[in-house]
Amino acid sequence: MVSMTSKITSHAVGDVCRAIRAHRRFIVTSHVRPDGDATGSQVAMALALKALGKHVRLISADPPPDICRVLPGVDEIEVTSTVTGDWDAAIIMECGDLSRTGLTGLSGGFVVNIDHHIGNTLYGAINYFDESAAACGELVFTVIQALDVALTAEIASHLYIAILTDTGSFHHGPISARTFDVCRHLTVAGATPSALARQAFDQYQVGRLKVIGVMLNEMQLESQNRVAVLALDDVLLAQSGATLDDTDGLVNLPLTTSEVQAVVLFKSAVGEPLRVSLRSKGTVDVRAVAVAFGGGGHTNAAGFTLEATTEKRDVVVQQVVAAVEAALGRGNGKSRSKGELS
């Protein structure tokens, strides 16, 4: 068995297993606008619970991402804003607090909280929290092993997608030898890395390419090209024939250059608050920026929502520039204006 001792946690994996064995009817959910780690961890846990003879309902406030929809069990997710019916325990993945689920009807129930994001409020009756995990999928893998549930190809595929996507194809996060040891177990169990990578990264619509062209053409560079600022709105999506799922991972594009150390992506839609995604390399801490605006995440991948004004956008960019300068030192060059690419 892979050893996964939590770095920071109020409960051990054994506490999670005892809680699971003591309950029969489960709700399994994750955060709003679920990503590969959220949905992969959610469905893998549900499949393990069903193997134990538990009654399980998969619930989400928003639909699963396209990359997960072809995997078994995803079609069982109920998309709703309210949890109703009889249940005696809820397992919540990837949520720093209960409101992050976007669901009502969970308050007052028995909650198992499984998460790896710094800032988790430990809101569950059982809290299995480990900030050193590269993805929530690592923690779910540990729970499934401790429950002595057979690691099927279906469960393994969900967990591999969880880890693959949350690390940006092993580009960021607290990736460790443990991460690859878990992936080795998943591969032995039947997960196919090449096929799952193609499913995660090579199945977008051609509209994605059109979005990339416009975004990069209008990209703003700051702090001697060390900070890239991107913008995306629903008008661009409509003109390009793309969906929001087609934009997944685009925030990382500027980081493929040696100069860019951090990226700010502003996503705007009519009638919704501005969504801000932050990415960085190395010691550039964009989580601290996100926390200042009421968000959260990891050192190199974070986000938050914001009431959209030009002034507030400028403040966000200034704080990301400050984070880069704090990590790497202050540059001597001028910021580049919109569209002025090197």
Side-chain angles (χ1 to χ4, degrees):
M1 179 178 291
V2 179
S3 175
M4 290 188 67
T5 303
S6 295
K7 180 180 178 182
I8 301 175
T9 183
S10 61
H11 293 94
V13 66
D15 298 309
V16 178
C17 294
R18 281 187 287 274
I20 288 174
R21 294 189 180 104
H23 294 84
R24 173 157 180 77
R25 302 178 68 84
F26 288 84
I27 298 293
V28 183
T29 190
S30 188
H31 57 70
V32 294
R33 296 184 298 275
D35 53 19
D37 192 19
T39 298
S41 296
Q42 179 187 17
V43 179
M45 178 61 75
L47 292 172
L49 292 174
K50 288 181 179 181
L52 293 171
K54 308 294 184 179
H55 179 274
V56 185
R57 288 176 62 202
L58 287 156
I59 295 180
S60 178
D62 294 302
D66 285 347
I67 59 174
C68 294
R69 290 180 187 176
V70 299
L71 293 176
V74 175
D75 58 349
E76 297 181 19
I77 296 175
E78 304 172 38
V79 179
T80 181
S81 60
T82 304
V83 177
T84 58
D86 295 329
W87 55 278
D88 56 329
I91 300 179
I92 300 176
M93 249 74 82
E94 288 263 282
C95 293
D97 56 49
L98 204 57
S99 66
R100 181 84 168 113
T101 63
L103 300 172
T104 59
L106 293 172
S107 300
F110 186 91
V111 168
V112 177
N113 161 30
I114 302 177
D115 190 24
H116 67 127
H117 293 92
I118 300 171
N120 188 286
T121 57
L122 305 179
Y123 54 88
I126 300 293
N127 300 290
Y128 185 42
F129 170 68
D130 184 354
E131 69 174 48
S132 70
C136 191
E138 281 192 19
L139 303 181
V140 174
F141 171 84
T142 312
V143 172
I144 290 173
Q145 276 208 323
L147 288 169
D148 289 325
V149 171
L151 195 62
T152 64
E154 291 78 12
I155 291 174
S157 295
H158 280 291
L159 293 180
Y160 191 89
I161 280 284
I163 295 170
L164 178 69
T165 57
D166 215 43
T167 60
S169 191
F170 305 102
H171 273 66
H172 55 74
I175 301 165
S176 66
R178 176 180 70 181
T179 306
F180 290 103
D181 202 8
V182 170
C183 288
R184 180 183 69 82
H185 280 258
L186 300 178
T187 303
V188 169
T192 53
S194 58
L196 291 170
R198 287 194 300 272
Q199 178 182 317
F201 304 119
D202 299 340
Q203 298 296 322
Y204 299 107
Q205 300 180 83
V206 73
R208 175 181 173 91
L209 300 178
K210 298 178 182 179
V211 170
I212 290 172
V214 175
M215 284 180 59
L216 294 184
N217 186 57
E218 298 185 352
M219 179 174 63
Q220 175 185 342
L221 293 169
E222 303 285 346
S223 185
Q224 286 191 299
N225 298 342
R226 297 189 297 183
V227 176
V229 183
L230 302 172
L232 173 68
D233 59 29
D234 47 6
V235 175
L236 174 56
L237 290 180
Q239 291 175 342
S240 303
T243 67
L244 197 57
D245 277 337
D246 290 320
T247 69
D248 186 52
L250 296 188
V251 65
N252 297 307
L253 282 175
L255 293 177
T256 61
T257 68
S258 60
E259 292 175 289
V260 175
Q261 301 299 309
V263 183
V264 184
L265 171 59
F266 295 107
K267 298 180 183 179
S268 58
V270 175
E272 296 183 13
L274 184 69
R275 290 167 55 193
V276 185
S277 296
L278 307 175
R279 297 293 185 272
S280 67
K281 295 175 181 174
T283 58
V284 179
D285 186 1
V286 291
R287 177 186 174 274
V289 178
V291 168
F293 289 95
H298 303 288
T299 299
N300 299 129
F304 58 95
T305 58
L306 188 70
E307 291 304 318
T309 67
T310 301
E311 292 77 13
K312 287 185 178 179
R313 290 188 184 211
D314 290 343
V315 171
V316 173
V317 173
Q318 290 167 10
Q319 290 206 17
V320 173
V321 169
V324 170
E325 292 175 347
L328 305 176
R330 190 175 298 274
N332 297 317
K334 296 179 180 179
S335 300
R336 287 185 177 269
S337 61
K338 180 178 178 179
E340 188 181 352
L341 307 181
S342 56

